């Protein structure tokens, strides 16, 4: 154990997490298992799971199985050979959204490079199922790059999600060592194509800090996202999921995150969440268009 911890940075006080496993949280966790559903909140060990599930009434469902065809060096999700498609999954997700009474649902998925459409058909049907079952619930999608295939992107956008989210994850220089089979430019092109297909849909992307990036590279990533018409940016601290994943090179202070938020807003992002515990779906319910925000509350402003 001591050898494994060699060279690892000690977590600062501002990264201590309060585990609030109250009755609401435990009930939701039990329901997810009974419905045979996966959430990225659990799989990626998100520090905000208790706040999102119990307080904000938001959750991030992970569809298309729990095994990813990629093996990114920052990600806690299991990689390997995926299972077959489950076409009943969209309705189960919609049922869970209804039972949880969610205002905002995020639908993400493991990368399915084994599928010709990258899983976009199941993705789109999940969005439609939620819309049918819970018309006032806003839906955000967070897909992989789906190998950059235009037809797959179009299939997903035809389902009319309220936010399209795709993460560049890190700065250009570090992308080859952090992300597996994904490229910085393909992710930017994907985000720009979504705007061409659906100009009024907010687009969003996220980066995690602490992998060795420089401040000027962070600002360049902001400029690159804006150049590709991205509206919303989230910035959070990378936390090493296990000893086999990339080590944290730096823990950013909350003041540094606050400064980056100001820079992002000054550069032109419509909305920016930036903080040590921020993840790409953090406070996602607040980031939809005003019309969709009104829908969350049954049409009342």
């Amino acid at each position: 154990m001591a050898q494994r911890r060699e060279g690892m940075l000690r977590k600062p006080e501002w990264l201590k997490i309060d585990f609030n496993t109250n009755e609401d949280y435990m009930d939701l966790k039990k329901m997810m298992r009974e419905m045979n559903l996966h959430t990225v909140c659990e799989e990626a060990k998100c520090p905000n799971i208790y706040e999102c599930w119990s307080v904000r009434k938001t959750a991030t469902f992970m569809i298309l199985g729990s095994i990813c065809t990629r093996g990114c060096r920052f990600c806690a999700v299991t990689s390997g050979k995926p299972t077959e498609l489950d076409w009943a999954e969209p309705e189960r997700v919609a049922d869970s959204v209804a039972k949880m009474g969610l205002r905002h649902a995020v639908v993400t998925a493991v990368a399915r490079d084994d599928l010709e459409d990258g899983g976009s058909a199941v993705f789109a049907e999940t969005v439609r199922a939620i819309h049918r079952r819970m018309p006032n619930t806003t839906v955000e999608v967070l897909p992989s790059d789906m190998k950059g295939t235009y037809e797959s992107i179009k299939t997903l956008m035809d389902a009319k999600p309220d936010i399209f989210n795709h993460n560049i994850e890190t700065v250009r220089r570090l992308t080859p060592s952090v992300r597996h089979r994904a490229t910085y430019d393909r992710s930017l092109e994907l985000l720009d194509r979504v705007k061409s297909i659906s100009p009024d849909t907010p687009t969003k992307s996220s980066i995690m800090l602490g992998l060795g990036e420089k401040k000027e590279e962070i600002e360049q990533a902001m400029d690159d996202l804006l150049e590709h018409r991205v509206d919303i940016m989230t910035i959070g601290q990378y936390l090493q999921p296990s000893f086999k994943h990339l080590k944290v090179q730096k823990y950013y202070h909350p003041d540094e995150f606050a400064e980056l938020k100001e820079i992002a807003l000054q550069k032109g992002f419509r909305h920016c969440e930036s903080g040590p515990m921020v993840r790409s779906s953090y406070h996602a319910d607040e980031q939809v268009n005003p019309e969709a925000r009104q829908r969350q509350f049954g049409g009342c402003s």
Side-chain angles (χ1 to χ4, degrees), residues 207-219:
I207 62 170
M208 52 192 168
L209 305 184
L211 290 165
E213 64 288 320
K214 299 174 182 177
K215 186 177 180 182
E216 57 266 29
E217 291 178 308
I218 300 170
E219 292 197 36

Side-chain angles (χ1 to χ4, degrees), residues 170-234:
T170 188
V171 299
R172 180 185 291 277
R173 175 177 60 87
L174 296 177
T175 295
S177 61
V178 173
R179 303 174 70 194
H180 182 219
R181 296 185 189 167
T183 72
Y184 188 82
D185 287 316
R186 185 194 289 168
S187 289
L188 292 174
E189 289 166 6
L190 173 74
L191 288 158
D192 197 64
R193 281 183 171 181
V194 167
K195 272 296 185 189
S196 296
I197 295 169
S198 182
D200 294 332
T201 302
T203 51
K204 174 180 172 183
S205 193
S206 176
I207 62 170
M208 52 192 168
L209 305 184
L211 290 165
E213 64 288 320
K214 299 174 182 177
K215 186 177 180 182
E216 57 266 29
E217 291 178 308
I218 300 170
E219 292 197 36
Q220 182 60 56
M222 292 179 183
D223 292 338
D224 292 339
L225 290 171
L226 288 168
E227 185 179 341
H228 289 81
R229 298 185 281 179
V230 174
D231 304 293
I232 302 161
M233 185 178 190
T234 58

Side-chain angles (χ1 to χ4, degrees), residues 67-81:
I67 301 175
C68 185
T69 53
R70 302 183 186 182
C72 296
R73 297 189 64 205
F74 66 90
C75 184
V77 175
T78 302
S79 60
K81 185 177 181 180

Side-chain angles (χ1 to χ4, degrees), residues 50-298:
Y50 313 104
E51 176 190 356
C52 292
W53 282 22
S54 300
V55 180
R56 300 192 68 87
K57 294 296 182 183
T58 64
T60 302
F61 297 89
M62 190 171 74
I63 62 171
L64 299 173
S66 60
I67 301 175
C68 185
T69 53
R70 302 183 186 182
C72 296
R73 297 189 64 205
F74 66 90
C75 184
V77 175
T78 302
S79 60
K81 185 177 181 180
T83 55
E84 62 187 32
L85 286 181
D86 180 359
W87 284 96
E89 190 171 43
E91 291 298 335
R92 290 204 310 277
V93 171
D95 287 345
S96 295
V97 169
K99 289 179 180 178
M100 293 173 76
L102 298 184
R103 285 195 300 266
H104 185 79
V106 182
V107 182
T108 189
V110 293
R112 291 295 303 261
D113 295 328
D114 58 313
L115 302 174
E116 187 174 347
D117 73 343
S120 62
V122 175
F123 227 126
E125 184 52 35
T126 303
V127 176
R128 292 190 181 98
I130 296 171
H131 283 326
R132 286 194 299 266
R133 185 71 183 274
M134 295 288 285
N136 290 339
T137 299
T138 49
V139 183
E140 175 176 333
V141 293
L142 174 54
S144 72
D145 58 28
M146 295 181 288
K147 295 179 283 189
T149 306
Y150 179 86
E151 291 75 13
S152 299
I153 302 165
K154 180 72 164 56
T155 295
L156 179 50
M157 294 311 297
D158 283 348
K160 301 190 182 306
D162 295 284
I163 295 180
F164 182 92
N165 184 357
H166 175 73
N167 297 330
I168 58 170
E169 308 291 6
T170 188
V171 299
R172 180 185 291 277
R173 175 177 60 87
L174 296 177
T175 295
S177 61
V178 173
R179 303 174 70 194
H180 182 219
R181 296 185 189 167
T183 72
Y184 188 82
D185 287 316
R186 185 194 289 168
S187 289
L188 292 174
E189 289 166 6
L190 173 74
L191 288 158
D192 197 64
R193 281 183 171 181
V194 167
K195 272 296 185 189
S196 296
I197 295 169
S198 182
D200 294 332
T201 302
T203 51
K204 174 180 172 183
S205 193
S206 176
I207 62 170
M208 52 192 168
L209 305 184
L211 290 165
E213 64 288 320
K214 299 174 182 177
K215 186 177 180 182
E216 57 266 29
E217 291 178 308
I218 300 170
E219 292 197 36
Q220 182 60 56
M222 292 179 183
D223 292 338
D224 292 339
L225 290 171
L226 288 168
E227 185 179 341
H228 289 81
R229 298 185 281 179
V230 174
D231 304 293
I232 302 161
M233 185 178 190
T234 58
I235 308 169
Q237 172 69 52
Y238 167 66
L239 299 175
Q240 185 178 359
S242 76
F243 294 112
K244 70 179 182 179
H245 291 87
L246 292 168
K247 290 182 179 179
V248 178
Q249 302 297 316
K250 174 184 175 178
Y251 288 113
Y252 283 69
H253 190 274
D255 291 346
E256 293 179 278
F257 280 104
E259 180 188 4
L260 289 170
K261 177 175 182 175
E262 286 303 311
I263 292 171
L265 293 174
Q266 288 170 9
K267 282 180 176 289
F269 286 99
R270 191 186 84 188
H271 189 102
C272 178
E273 292 285 348
S274 179
M277 298 295 191
V278 167
R279 296 297 179 263
S280 65
S281 301
Y282 189 64
H283 289 194
D285 55 308
E286 299 174 354
Q287 298 162 13
V288 295
N289 280 334
E291 297 81 4
R293 180 71 172 157
Q294 192 175 45
R295 199 172 84 235
Q296 291 174 342
F297 296 93

